[in-house]
Amino acid sequence: MQYAVPRNAAAGHPEIRPWMDDADPTRAAAGEALPAFVLAASRRTDQPILNMGGVDYILGTSATPSSSLVVVALPMPAGLARTVGTIRSGAESYWQLFRGRNRIRGTYFLLMLLLTVLTLFASSWLALYLAKQVTRPAETLAVAMEQISAGHYSHRVTVGATEELGEVIHSFNAMASDLEQSRSLAETSTAQLSEVNRTLADRRRELELILDTIPSGVATLDSRLSVVLSNRAMLDLLDLHTSSTDIEHVLTDLPVDVAFPPAISEEVHRLLRRSQRMRIAGSEIDFATSSGSRRLSVTLAILDQPQQRRGYVLVLEDVTEVLRAQRQAAWKEVAQRVAHEIKNPLTPISLSAERIRRHIEKPTPETATVIRHCSDVILSSVETVRTLVDQFGALAQFPVSSPRPIELNSVVDAALLIFAGRMDDIRIERRYATDLPQVMADKDALRRALANLIDNAAEAMQGALHRQITLITGENPGRTMAEIVVADTGPGVTSDMRERLFLPYFSTKQRGTGLGLAIAAKIVQEHQGTIRVEDNKPVGARFIIELPFADMTTPENATSATAELPS
């Protein structure tokens, strides 16, 4: 074996180390020959590097034809080893990292998985928490609504919430509080209403008992003039006998024309038109029953009910006995007045007769003068008695009238002519209707009745500052009868006077006999008419006469016999 050592190789222990490996170098054993060490190193497959004297040599081998092996060691550039070491170190680091990529990847995957799980958990918990913030108040609200619907109005929602849901809960609690207050108020009101209903029921029973026990017939009518309710006295007055125990429903729902006899139904229709103006109207009619003729007072009043249609109250009252008592009282007063009026002129007649007798028995120079004076006194007193008897006779028995079709306006003018020159201080106003149909009447009798009304109006205005008599002719609101109105501006009449105004010898004046209005009422009654008195606006009284038209009067009704006052 031949070898040559580089001149610049310093003495030292040679080392063999792999080229691309940082493994520990292999040193030559003590006493081991360099060629053998180098030859062994050249046979290595890990690309060994020979280091001698701090210089790195790369080994290369080549075989010769003679089967010899030539080993050559070439020095490596300075710093190459360090560079290679750095590269190798970097490569090793790279390969370490490369080999550890799966572990790093797994680590990061586990980390990301953990983060994902944590995120999902946090998101789920947050979502559940937020959902609870909505669902729990909603569930509580649902439960509270069930409690409220079950009637437990004291139940409240105590779960807190924010924003809109909090406002909903607040509103719900406010609503529940209002409902509780309303229920308490409703219970209180119900209790009060029940008490009021019981009171009303008691009062209704009392009213029904009163209606059943009063002698006046009472019936309520609706706006269509159908009977709503009536009492027992109404059936008795109408002479309707029934075995039904439900008395108040015998006439129920029947129209007036069916429920009542024609005389009463016609009077109701006539009073209906008057009640529209006066709110209450009344009159008297004669009604024939199985027990005889009765005098009935018919009164119709408007019944205004709040928020309901208008109705009426019809009252029938048997005034036969009352009228008889009034007539008896009137005739008693008539007798007293007649006795007093006759007694007054009898006294001077008696005194004058005695004085004449004394002078006849013992004549004196003044006898002729005294007899003449006493004769004048007697004649004056006799004339007074004759006037009184004539007025009484005019009331007790009217002459036979001759009714015929006449113009109403001309009769009123004829009545005014009687007072020509006697009413200079009274203003007369005429308001006559044109084209007024004729009425069937006795012109003289009707003129006398109007004259009495005009004279009464003039007397009533003696102390009035403004004196005016208004005469009006026309048709009544139903256009079924002619109407004459005599209105004054006097003090008017009271309700007590209105009831007695047409009775004989009733007067509010200091003079007169009190027969004028009674005569006027008797004349109107004989002409199948009516007379009434109303208040005049603003002051005074209105006497209203209604007479049938000529074409509505039958020959039987037009024939008038001698009329006498009933006893």
Side-chain angles (χ1 to χ4, degrees):
M1 177 183 297
Q2 296 179 359
Y3 68 91
V5 178
R7 289 191 294 270
N8 58 350
H13 296 285
E15 296 178 348
I16 297 296
R17 56 183 177 82
W19 166 248
M20 298 299 292
D21 196 355
D22 288 337
D24 292 336
T26 301
R27 297 189 180 200
E32 182 179 7
L34 181 60
F37 179 72
V38 172
L39 180 61
S42 64
R43 292 179 177 175
R44 295 174 57 172
T45 58
D46 55 355
Q47 297 178 350
I49 299 297
L50 175 63
N51 182 277
M52 289 189 304
V55 179
D56 291 330
Y57 297 91
I58 186 169
L59 298 178
T61 60
S62 178
T64 62
S66 58
S67 301
S68 297
L69 182 64
V70 178
V71 179
V72 178
L74 295 176
M76 298 178 64
L80 179 61
R82 288 193 303 274
T83 302
V84 173
T86 301
I87 293 172
R88 186 175 60 250
S89 176
E92 289 178 355
S93 298
Y94 169 76
W95 287 113
Q96 288 179 358
L97 291 176
F98 180 77
R99 287 189 296 269
R101 71 183 186 280
N102 291 331
R103 184 174 65 254
I104 295 173
R105 184 183 299 168
T107 301
Y108 278 103
F109 178 77
L110 291 176
L111 181 60
M112 293 300 294
L113 181 62
L114 179 61
L115 290 176
T116 302
V117 171
L118 289 176
T119 302
L120 289 175
F121 175 76
S123 300
S124 300
W125 182 85
L126 182 61
L128 183 61
Y129 174 77
L130 294 177
K132 285 292 184 180
Q133 296 296 315
V134 176
T135 58
R136 186 180 179 189
E139 292 174 353
T140 308
L141 273 175
V143 174
M145 289 179 181
E146 292 178 357
Q147 294 292 325
I148 293 295
S149 62
H152 305 294
Y153 296 104
S154 60
H155 188 82
R156 297 293 183 274
V157 178
T158 57
V159 176
T162 59
E163 298 181 356
E164 291 83 358
L165 198 56
E167 295 179 0
V168 171
I169 292 176
H170 178 72
S171 300
F172 178 84
N173 289 334
M175 179 196 69
S177 179
D178 293 341
L179 286 175
E180 185 177 14
Q181 294 178 1
S182 300
R183 181 183 183 183
S184 177
L185 181 61
E187 291 177 349
T188 304
S189 301
T190 301
Q192 295 176 351
L193 184 60
S194 299
E195 183 64 27
V196 170
N197 287 334
R198 285 193 294 270
T199 304
L200 289 176
D202 294 339
R203 291 183 178 179
R204 179 172 181 176
R205 284 191 293 270
E206 292 177 0
L207 287 175
E208 290 177 351
L209 180 60
I210 292 173
L211 285 176
D212 284 339
T213 54
I214 61 175
S216 300
V218 180
T220 56
L221 312 177
D222 59 17
S223 59
R224 298 172 299 175
L225 293 183
S226 295
V227 179
V228 178
L229 185 66
S230 61
N231 63 346
R232 184 186 299 272
M234 179 65 76
L235 301 179
D236 296 337
L237 289 176
L238 298 179
D239 202 19
L240 297 178
H241 304 286
T242 177
S243 59
S244 175
T245 58
D246 197 6
I247 298 297
E248 63 274 11
H249 293 109
V250 172
L251 302 178
T252 302
D253 296 332
L254 293 179
V256 169
D257 297 335
V258 177
F260 300 100
I264 296 179
S265 62
E266 291 175 2
E267 191 68 19
V268 169
H269 285 292
R270 193 170 62 84
L271 293 177
L272 177 64
R273 294 186 291 270
R274 289 173 50 191
S275 64
Q276 302 297 331
R277 305 191 309 270
M278 304 171 58
R279 304 191 65 81
I280 183 171
S283 64
E284 293 182 359
I285 62 172
D286 292 322
F287 180 65
T289 63
S290 58
S291 59
S293 179
R294 293 181 180 178
R295 187 70 174 179
L296 296 183
S297 172
V298 184
T299 304
L300 186 68
I302 295 179
L303 180 63
D304 286 329
Q305 300 178 356
Q307 299 180 353
Q308 293 185 15
R309 300 182 64 181
R310 175 176 292 184
Y312 304 90
V313 176
L314 176 64
V315 179
L316 298 183
E317 188 175 1
D318 187 357
V319 295
T320 305
E321 297 299 328
V322 176
L323 184 61
R324 183 178 293 111
Q326 288 179 347
R327 287 173 176 172
Q328 290 176 354
W331 280 114
K332 182 179 181 181
E333 186 178 355
V334 168
Q336 292 175 349
R337 290 286 299 272
V338 170
H340 177 72
E341 294 294 338
I342 293 177
K343 184 178 180 181
N344 287 338
L346 286 180
T347 300
I349 290 174
S350 176
L351 293 176
S352 297
E354 290 178 359
R355 190 176 180 184
I356 291 173
R357 182 176 181 180
R358 285 197 305 269
H359 278 274
I360 291 176
E361 292 176 352
K362 296 180 179 181
T364 62
E366 295 85 9
T367 297
T369 304
V370 170
I371 291 176
R372 189 179 300 108
H373 176 71
C374 290
S375 298
D376 293 339
V377 171
I378 291 173
L379 291 174
S380 176
S381 299
V382 169
E383 184 64 26
T384 301
V385 173
R386 182 182 293 110
T387 302
L388 180 64
V389 172
D390 290 341
Q391 290 178 346
F392 182 75
L395 176 66
Q397 181 174 359
F398 288 104
V400 177
S401 60
S402 300
R404 63 180 182 275
I406 61 173
E407 296 290 341
L408 199 59
N409 294 341
S410 62
V411 177
V412 178
D413 287 334
L416 279 175
L417 287 176
I418 300 176
F419 301 92
R422 295 168 50 192
M423 294 187 179
D424 295 337
D425 58 343
I426 298 177
R427 180 172 178 264
I428 304 296
E429 180 181 356
R430 297 178 177 89
R431 286 188 285 178
Y432 296 162
T434 59
D435 300 329
L436 188 65
Q438 292 182 334
V439 296
M440 183 69 71
D442 187 309
K443 185 175 182 179
D444 294 334
L446 186 58
R447 183 180 66 245
R448 185 164 60 252
L450 289 175
N452 286 332
L453 292 180
I454 295 173
D455 182 65
N456 182 78
E459 289 292 333
M461 296 187 297
Q462 288 297 323
L465 296 178
H466 175 62
R467 301 178 182 181
Q468 175 177 322
I469 295 178
T470 304
L471 299 172
I472 306 172
T473 62
E475 300 181 17
N476 63 354
R479 306 178 67 88
T480 57
M481 302 181 76
E483 189 175 78
I484 310 172
V485 179
V486 179
D488 61 63
T489 56
V493 294
T494 63
S495 57
D496 181 65
M497 293 170 55
R498 189 178 288 112
E499 294 178 358
R500 304 174 56 195
L501 202 58
F502 298 105
L503 293 178
Y505 288 96
F506 174 79
S507 177
T508 59
K509 300 175 292 186
Q510 298 297 325
R511 67 177 186 85
T513 60
L515 297 176
L517 294 180
I519 292 174
K522 190 67 175 177
I523 293 174
V524 173
Q525 180 181 359
E526 291 300 319
H527 284 78
Q528 290 82 47
T530 62
I531 183 172
R532 66 181 186 276
V533 61
E534 299 177 357
D535 292 332
N536 188 34
K537 304 298 181 181
V539 292
R542 288 165 52 94
F543 288 85
I544 302 173
I545 297 176
E546 291 184 351
L547 297 173
F549 293 121
D551 56 357
M552 298 177 60
T553 306
T554 60
E556 292 78 5
N557 293 332
T559 303
S560 176
T562 302
E564 298 183 357
L565 285 175
S567 58

